[in-house]
Amino acid sequence: MIILNGGSSSGKSGIARCLQAVLPDPWLTIGTDTLVDAMPAAMRASDTGIEFAADGEVSVGPRFRELEAAWIAGVAAMARAGARVIVDEVFLGGAASQRRWREALRGLRVLWVGVRCASEVAAGREVARGDRVTGMAAAQAEKVHVGVDYDLEVDTTHTEALRCARDIAARVG
């Protein structure tokens, strides 16, 4: 398993696609956006689900955490069944988020990768994408890395996704 953690618009999805191209075996890519998109619309604007504030802050409630726990367990089950999985994640809770994943992935080989990007660059990407709440990139750029331990960190501020993917692939054994 490869866990890519970084803020919104940091380049995780691009790196994941490049990893799929450069790694010799087939890898599945799954991300937190997959989870959020799979939730009922009512949970994407609820204090018990997930809320996206106008300033880019994201809040999650207890119903979201319940579904997230099941989702994480499902991703772990896929890996235990032999699937190679790249997870595109945003650790909104920093170390606590990583702890949830570590518990679910106990016994599996995991490469923990921090994906960094200068907040002003990520904010520019966010505007260009047009599908994100303005301010999420800046709000998450550093917050998602607080207290998180990585095997490797990459920075997409000035480095292309393919170069980052090759650096990560070199660590996959």
Side-chain angles (χ1 to χ4, degrees):
M1 288 212 45
I2 301 170
I3 307 280
L4 304 174
N5 174 52
S8 179
S9 300
S10 64
K12 299 176 309 295
S13 298
I15 291 171
R17 284 189 300 277
C18 289
L19 279 167
Q20 288 178 308
V22 302
L23 289 167
D25 296 309
W27 286 71
L28 301 174
T29 299
I30 192 162
T32 193
D33 288 345
T34 309
L35 169 64
V36 173
D37 290 345
M39 291 182 174
M43 282 193 62
R44 292 190 296 252
S46 161
D47 61 352
T48 63
I50 187 167
E51 291 184 297
F52 300 92
D55 65 357
E57 283 294 322
V58 179
S59 307
V60 298
R63 296 297 304 262
F64 176 89
R65 287 287 182 229
E66 289 170 11
L67 290 175
E68 179 191 47
W71 179 73
I72 290 171
V75 173
M78 287 191 310
R80 285 192 174 87
R84 292 167 185 84
V85 183
I86 302 164
V87 178
D88 172 343
E89 242 308 2
V90 180
F91 288 172
L92 292 174
S97 297
Q98 185 179 37
R99 201 168 22 259
R100 285 191 290 278
W101 275 101
R102 280 194 192 279
E103 289 170 13
L105 300 176
R106 189 170 292 127
L108 294 170
R109 288 181 47 194
V110 180
L111 181 66
W112 298 92
V113 180
V115 179
R116 294 187 178 271
C117 183
S119 80
E120 63 276 4
V121 171
R125 292 175 186 168
E126 174 181 75
V127 170
R129 288 175 70 156
D131 66 347
R132 295 284 189 257
V133 175
T134 303
M136 269 183 22
Q140 296 173 4
E142 291 303 318
K143 175 182 181 177
V144 301
H145 299 292
V146 174
V148 178
D149 294 319
Y150 297 113
D151 299 309
L152 175 66
E153 292 188 43
V154 296
D155 191 323
T156 66
T157 304
H158 302 292
T159 306
E160 294 293 325
L162 183 58
R163 175 74 259 157
C164 293
R166 286 184 176 138
D167 291 344
I168 296 164
R171 299 285 299 270
V172 174

